[in-house]
Amino acid sequence: MTVEPDRTLPEQDMETQAETIPPGPPAVPGRTDPGRTDPERRDREASDGERTDVGHPGGGTSREPGAGERSPEPPLLRPVGARRFWPRSFAARLTAPLPDVRALVRAAREGAMRPEPQALKGIARLPYEPGPVPAARPGTVSVTWAGHASWVVRVGGLTVLTDPVWSRRILGTPARVTPPGVAWADLPPVDAVVISHNHYDHLDAPTLRRLPRRTHLFVPAGLGRWCRRRGFTSVTELDWWEAAELPARDASGRVRFEFVPAHHWSRRTLTDTCRSLWGGWVLTGPERGHGDEGQPNGRRDTERNGHQPRRQRVYFAGDTGYGHWFAEIGRRCPGIDLALLPVGAYEPRWMLKPVHTSPEEAVRACADVGARVMAPMHYATFLLSAEPPLAPLERVRAAWASAGRARGDLWDLPVGASRVLGE
């Protein structure tokens, strides 16, 4: 059956429309981005002035709508597997300029992208404790850290992989310093994969080749063609604030995959900079009923913005710098239970600050999105930058304590370990 393409700009060919998008300057937080569709512009303009960066130790900024505030907008639901047209470039979505040639030359001259030799001794102390993937039980969400940004998320009975990288080496970097936390042969059957962006340490072709071609792929706008050329038959491309759903296996409901913004960029070759989008994912499980049994943090079994039954939510940030998008994600996706946030690949700050959060910024981002629990990621696997291998873990623990957050709500898991929400 032929799927009718879904045009994001009506009555126009996106290839032609993209030619009218100016290449710069980069978007500035709080201003209209020239490459956005009209609804996105209205959302940004209406929300301007409502964001706050002030969090509190109990779990971030308050998400209860007050007088004069708007209730969170539901995401625009899209059909699974629809073919769509996109602009030629998403450069208008950048929130900071990309490094220029001078920055790259400086990094190479200073050797700024590798840890000092003496710091490499910390590799032997990186936590690695592989264990079994938890069973998919009704009313629970489990996460297992396979390393870097790769998680095995079990939600609604589905098994979802985030940015799966099981390869020993990726292009342009040294080999991984810890093995995958879950052997590929020990994975449950994979129902879906979410991809945050197309950088090689997040979109790994050799790993994807291991999957059945019927596996559902949820990817950023502009990546569908890459996936379909590799034989995948169910590829769903989404723009920011769009979502698609799959039937849950363990309840009469659906699991939602919502694509949300990030402060990052995309490139896979020398000629495709920002040709596809980048972002994170909010995975929302099926409704859990009206009772309070098994709630992960003692909250009533309703969404904070209304009276719908509680649905557990996991936010996977992908790769991102710190910025205004976190507060907006928390406002539009209330009730996030667990935030999977990157804490590594942040040195040197003069170069990487716009695109990679430091451990301290990740803790602040957790408060911004309103999540009670945070699980650090994006360290202890590939040495992509100059900080010592153990520094991300040590600093995120210190930042969490300084913020007054409960120690048990920091899931600083060893590679291969698992935790379960609702227990």
Side-chain angles (χ1 to χ4, degrees):
M1 181 180 67
T2 302
V3 180
E4 180 66 19
D6 180 12
R7 296 180 183 269
T8 56
L9 292 183
E11 309 301 330
Q12 298 186 42
D13 185 283
M14 292 298 294
E15 295 284 333
T16 302
Q17 176 69 18
E19 300 294 342
T20 67
I21 298 175
V28 177
R31 297 184 184 175
T32 302
D33 289 346
R36 296 184 184 281
T37 60
D38 288 341
E40 288 170 326
R41 272 198 289 269
R42 289 196 297 270
D43 287 345
R44 286 288 304 280
E45 291 166 353
S47 63
D48 194 25
E50 292 181 10
R51 295 186 297 267
T52 175
D53 290 331
V54 180
H56 61 78
T61 54
S62 173
R63 304 299 171 205
E64 295 286 353
E69 294 183 2
R70 295 177 299 134
S71 296
E73 304 89 337
L76 181 62
L77 286 178
R78 296 291 189 180
V80 171
R83 292 177 180 266
R84 304 174 65 181
F85 296 98
W86 301 105
R88 294 175 64 87
S89 173
F90 293 91
R93 306 289 186 92
L94 292 169
T95 47
L98 297 179
D100 57 17
V101 174
R102 288 177 297 178
L104 298 177
V105 170
R106 175 184 172 185
R109 183 177 66 249
E110 296 177 357
M113 303 305 294
R114 291 286 295 156
E116 295 292 334
Q118 61 269 23
L120 297 179
K121 297 177 181 178
I123 292 174
R125 294 187 287 129
L126 290 172
Y128 178 77
E129 297 177 11
V133 175
R137 299 196 299 275
T140 64
V141 174
S142 71
V143 293
T144 303
W145 190 30
H148 202 53
S150 303
W151 294 84
V152 184
V153 182
R154 310 205 77 180
V155 52
L158 302 179
T159 299
V160 181
L161 301 185
T162 70
D163 289 359
V165 179
W166 261 253
S167 297
R168 180 175 177 270
R169 186 185 295 273
I170 55 176
L171 184 66
T173 67
R176 63 193 302 155
V177 296
T178 53
V182 182
W184 188 263
D186 294 336
L187 283 173
V190 176
D191 297 288
V193 170
V194 298
I195 300 295
S196 64
H197 63 299
N198 70 354
H199 287 162
Y200 281 88
D201 58 321
H202 293 260
L203 178 62
D204 183 49
T207 298
L208 292 184
R209 280 198 294 267
R210 299 185 179 194
L211 292 166
R213 295 307 184 265
R214 65 181 181 277
T215 305
H216 295 285
L217 301 189
F218 294 89
V219 302
L223 265 183
R225 182 182 179 188
W226 187 94
C227 299
R228 293 187 185 98
R229 284 166 55 189
R230 283 151 182 81
F232 288 94
T233 57
S234 178
V235 181
T236 304
E237 297 174 89
L238 296 178
D239 202 337
W240 292 344
W241 312 121
E242 293 184 341
E245 295 182 336
L246 293 178
R249 291 187 181 275
D250 62 358
S252 56
R254 303 179 72 79
V255 176
R256 178 172 293 179
F257 299 76
E258 181 173 354
F259 193 49
V260 296
H263 298 274
H264 206 63
W265 63 300
S266 69
R267 185 170 70 190
R268 201 161 175 89
T269 71
L270 294 177
T271 61
D272 66 352
T273 302
C274 296
R275 291 292 182 91
S276 61
L277 199 49
W278 52 90
W281 294 89
V282 175
L283 307 183
T284 303
E287 296 176 356
R288 302 183 65 199
H290 295 277
D292 291 330
E293 298 83 10
Q295 292 304 301
N297 54 3
R299 293 180 297 196
R300 59 186 179 149
D301 201 18
T302 59
E303 295 282 8
R304 298 183 195 177
N305 61 305
H307 301 286
Q308 298 299 315
R310 269 278 298 148
R311 301 175 69 180
Q312 289 180 311
R313 278 181 165 161
V314 177
Y315 166 48
F316 167 68
D319 225 355
T320 181
Y322 181 78
H324 70 283
W325 282 129
F326 290 113
E328 184 68 1
I329 291 167
R331 187 186 72 81
R332 296 181 64 144
C333 304
I336 292 174
D337 297 288
L338 169 63
L340 310 175
L341 288 163
V343 300
Y346 53 82
E347 291 288 353
R349 295 309 284 154
W350 62 263
M351 182 175 183
L352 295 176
K353 182 177 177 61
V355 293
H356 288 163
T357 51
S358 69
E360 295 78 14
E361 289 169 335
V363 171
R364 187 179 178 189
C366 183
D368 289 351
V369 301
R372 178 180 65 91
V373 179
M374 170 183 163
M377 65 174 184
H378 209 262
Y379 75 103
T381 309
F382 297 105
L383 302 183
L384 304 176
S385 56
E387 73 271 6
L390 277 171
L393 179 60
E394 295 167 347
R395 284 176 55 172
V396 75
R397 288 171 173 172
W400 192 261
S402 296
R405 307 293 294 263
R407 180 63 181 88
D409 290 339
L410 179 64
W411 290 5
D412 47 345
L413 303 180
V415 175
S418 304
R419 292 291 291 271
V420 180
L421 281 169
E423 288 189 343

